[in-house]
Amino acid sequence: MKWLKKGLIFKTQNFNDWRDNSALQPTPLMFDDRVRFYVGFRDKNGTSRVGYIDLDINNLEKVLKVSEKPVLDIGEDGAFDEFGVVPSAIIRHDNKIYMYYAGYQLGKKVRFLVLSGLAISEDNGETFTKHTSVPIFERTENEMLFRVPHTVMFDNHKFRFWYGGGSEFLQGKDKTLPVYDVRYVESVDGKTIPKNGITVLETKENEYRVGRPFVIKKNDGYLMFYGFSSEDMHYQLGYATSIDGLNWIRKDEDIGIELSKDGWDSEMMAYPSVLTIKNTTYLFYNGNNYGIDGFGFAELIKE
């Protein structure tokens, strides 16, 4: 596999409002004439709200529209999403759009908790209404602090989710480090999520997290793109292959894309998503400081 970097596709601008900085975790949805990326825009206080960026499907470097208002806002005081909402997975279902999103809550003994809610759009993705004010990916005994889906597929009359899950922070040199890996669960309706998932991709030695599993079907099998990091290494991108979507083989060394020598993705590459548009496959991702500059893309030139 080999990717050709194309650079920043959306650069954060000084909107001087809720879109002050960052375009976190670009989560794509295809339309006939455009590709829409739902992102988490941060304000000056670091609080994220969900908006979108429309790109011309015939020229991905052409931005058609940036949402003027959040399509999904933070929760009320005390809610699981009171300190931020970030899109994580999206799917069309029953003439509606289901957006699964990460809700952030800050703690005292732990730095933060991240659980997932569901928001539903009935106006083709312009506005979303929260299904409930509590998370549908609620905490469990095995996933006390982190439980967020990053891929959802509707297959054989069921929803299939690949998600990040974990229960602890490790003490690092300068701060605590969130520990999570990739897990899998199924749901009949996409709204009622069983408590017990299974771990399908674990961290390697010295890694403390592997996350943002973006899964696609490919050649009668599956590919998963994700980020992984250790204390001495910021997020970098990896990928794995699978026949059934459950048993995975990591092939990080073959992903064919690396940190740049300088610039917006020279320290970090994170939160990948992959789309094939008009027979060309593209990788979209955030760069340094979790996407503070926006997000960029690369074109697949060798499989």
Side-chain angles (χ1 to χ4, degrees), residues 176-195:
T176 57
L177 308 172
V179 178
Y180 48 81
D181 51 28
V182 178
R183 307 181 186 194
Y184 174 85
V185 73
E186 297 177 353
S187 169
V188 174
D189 61 5
K191 300 174 181 177
T192 306
I193 309 300
K195 286 187 175 181

Side-chain angles (χ1 to χ4, degrees), residues 33-80:
D33 61 343
R34 65 196 186 280
V35 184
R36 173 167 292 178
F37 282 90
Y38 291 95
V39 300
F41 285 113
R42 282 175 167 160
D43 63 21
K44 285 182 169 60
N45 297 320
T47 299
S48 173
R49 295 169 176 84
V50 179
Y52 65 77
I53 299 153
D54 283 344
L55 306 178
D56 188 336
I57 201 167
N58 297 307
N59 179 8
L60 293 176
E61 298 185 65
K62 182 180 180 180
V63 176
L64 298 176
K65 183 180 179 181
V66 180
S67 55
E68 294 291 335
K69 299 179 180 179
V71 301
L72 189 69
D73 212 333
I74 60 175
E76 61 186 30
D77 291 353
F80 79 101

Side-chain angles (χ1 to χ4, degrees), residues 5 171 250 274:
K5 289 188 176 184
Q171 182 59 56
R250 288 183 65 167
V274 174

Side-chain angles (χ1 to χ4, degrees), residues 246-258:
L246 301 178
N247 299 284
W248 294 89
I249 300 173
R250 288 183 65 167
K251 298 182 177 180
D252 302 338
E253 64 279 0
D254 297 326
I255 192 171
I257 192 168
E258 300 177 345

